[in-house]
Amino acid sequence: MALFEMGLSQNRIDPCVFTKHVNGVLIGMVFIHVDDIIYTGTPEFCKSMNEKLKKVFKMSHTEKNHFCYNGIEIQNSRAKGVVKINQTTYVKENMNISLRSTVMSTLAQRKKELQEILGKLLWVSRNTQPGILQQTVTLSQKVTEPTINCLKEAIGTAQYCFRQVKSFIKISKLNLDHDLVVYVFCDASPTLKHQPSHLEYVACLGSIQDPTLAVPLVWISRKTKRKSKIPLHAEVFAALEAHDHGTQLSKFL
């Protein structure tokens, strides 16, 4: 593969991520999504990578510091040490959804409509709006047999995003000397059938003493793989899964 020939190594956690080290020091990273490539690193690495990629791939255009990547606007302010991830344009173009009478007649039509809406909601919730992730995940569990109310809830969530106007995450400069902190929430099954509990956690790079310094790296909201009868069991299982994810992130960083 061309990237290996450029001296890059594939990440063990995420196969779409490639890194380059010199004398044990990380100098650059390359991220791939289908036919889109984004890379970052030292000025020397970025200049060299740009030249090498143009020789191997047909590059339609290249941008830096302020650009759009898969519907996500990225603004890199080197002077302030801040990266702003923005989906405001995507939200304005895709979240002003209303209930159409044509999708209410059959189950197949409702299912198709719900899948389309959830795809958009998941894309936003996993990148810039973690506040709607739990609702989106809950709705996705009903996609096989969606009711009219499910469809209305999904549209309501999309309209909520649209009314927020701005959809962005602001990330301060990472300090790898900070702690990797994981915040966990979980509840036990509310029914006697002991269905899997709902799990939520946020992994941040920051300071335990000062939470305001935390930089969010990943947030998760989904059903757990295990069933719990009491809240304590659910919390322990959730903490274990969050710990596993945190361990992976620590190896990645």
Side-chain angles (χ1 to χ4, degrees), residues 176-219:
L176 297 183
D177 293 328
H178 282 171
D179 305 304
L180 182 63
V181 186
V182 181
Y183 300 94
V184 181
F185 168 80
C186 191
D187 60 356
S189 172
T191 69
L192 296 177
K193 297 180 181 180
H194 305 312
Q195 297 296 319
S197 305
H198 195 91
L199 157 75
E200 292 184 4
Y201 62 84
V202 180
C204 303
L205 196 63
S207 170
I208 297 177
Q209 288 75 26
D210 188 357
T212 61
L213 298 176
V215 177
L217 300 178
V218 65
W219 46 87

Side-chain angles (χ1 to χ4, degrees), residues 15-251:
C16 296
V17 177
F18 295 80
T19 58
K20 185 167 184 177
H21 293 76
V22 173
N23 297 325
V25 178
L26 178 66
I27 65 166
M29 304 178 73
V30 178
F31 308 86
I32 297 178
H33 180 79
V34 191
D35 59 350
D36 291 318
I37 299 175
I38 183 171
Y39 55 88
T40 184
T42 63
E44 295 78 11
F45 171 83
C46 291
K47 181 180 179 180
S48 172
M49 187 56 55
N50 186 45
E51 294 172 353
K52 291 178 180 178
L53 288 174
K54 285 183 176 179
K55 291 180 180 179
V56 178
F57 303 105
K58 285 187 176 181
M59 309 285 283
S60 58
H61 64 282
T62 58
E63 298 174 287
K64 65 178 182 179
N65 292 331
H66 187 186
F67 54 90
C68 186
Y69 181 74
N70 293 318
I72 304 173
E73 289 184 51
I74 300 174
Q75 294 175 278
N76 179 21
S77 176
R78 288 182 174 272
K80 297 180 180 179
V82 172
V83 176
K84 188 175 180 181
I85 304 173
N86 185 340
Q87 284 183 291
T88 302
T89 301
Y90 180 87
V91 168
K92 287 182 177 180
E93 294 176 352
N94 293 278
M95 295 299 176
N96 191 15
I97 305 169
S98 58
L99 184 63
R100 297 178 295 178
S101 59
T102 53
V103 304
M104 298 174 63
S105 55
T106 68
L107 177 63
Q109 290 172 324
R110 292 197 299 271
K111 183 176 180 179
K112 181 180 179 182
E113 182 75 2
L114 184 60
Q115 287 175 330
E116 290 179 359
I117 297 173
L118 288 176
K120 297 173 182 178
L121 289 175
L122 283 169
W123 185 237
V124 172
S125 64
R126 288 175 173 170
N127 288 292
T128 56
Q129 289 209 18
I132 66 167
L133 183 56
Q134 180 178 357
Q135 176 70 5
T136 304
V137 171
T138 301
L139 286 169
S140 66
Q141 295 163 0
K142 304 175 183 179
V143 75
T144 54
E145 295 184 5
T147 63
I148 297 297
N149 286 335
C150 288
L151 202 53
K152 288 181 178 179
E153 284 184 46
I155 292 173
T157 305
Q159 286 288 347
Y160 167 80
C161 291
F162 183 75
R163 291 193 300 271
Q164 296 305 301
V165 181
K166 293 183 178 181
S167 179
F168 67 88
I169 292 289
K170 187 177 181 181
I171 302 176
S172 302
K173 185 178 181 180
L174 293 178
N175 184 345
L176 297 183
D177 293 328
H178 282 171
D179 305 304
L180 182 63
V181 186
V182 181
Y183 300 94
V184 181
F185 168 80
C186 191
D187 60 356
S189 172
T191 69
L192 296 177
K193 297 180 181 180
H194 305 312
Q195 297 296 319
S197 305
H198 195 91
L199 157 75
E200 292 184 4
Y201 62 84
V202 180
C204 303
L205 196 63
S207 170
I208 297 177
Q209 288 75 26
D210 188 357
T212 61
L213 298 176
V215 177
L217 300 178
V218 65
W219 46 87
I220 300 294
S221 177
R222 60 174 172 78
K223 291 292 183 182
T224 62
K225 299 176 182 178
R226 306 174 177 93
K227 298 179 182 180
S228 306
K229 296 182 180 180
I230 60 175
L232 178 59
H233 288 172
E235 291 171 2
V236 170
F237 291 147
L240 288 173
E241 291 194 29
H243 177 270
D244 290 343
H245 203 152
T247 301
Q248 293 177 345
L249 284 171
S250 65
K251 291 179 180 178

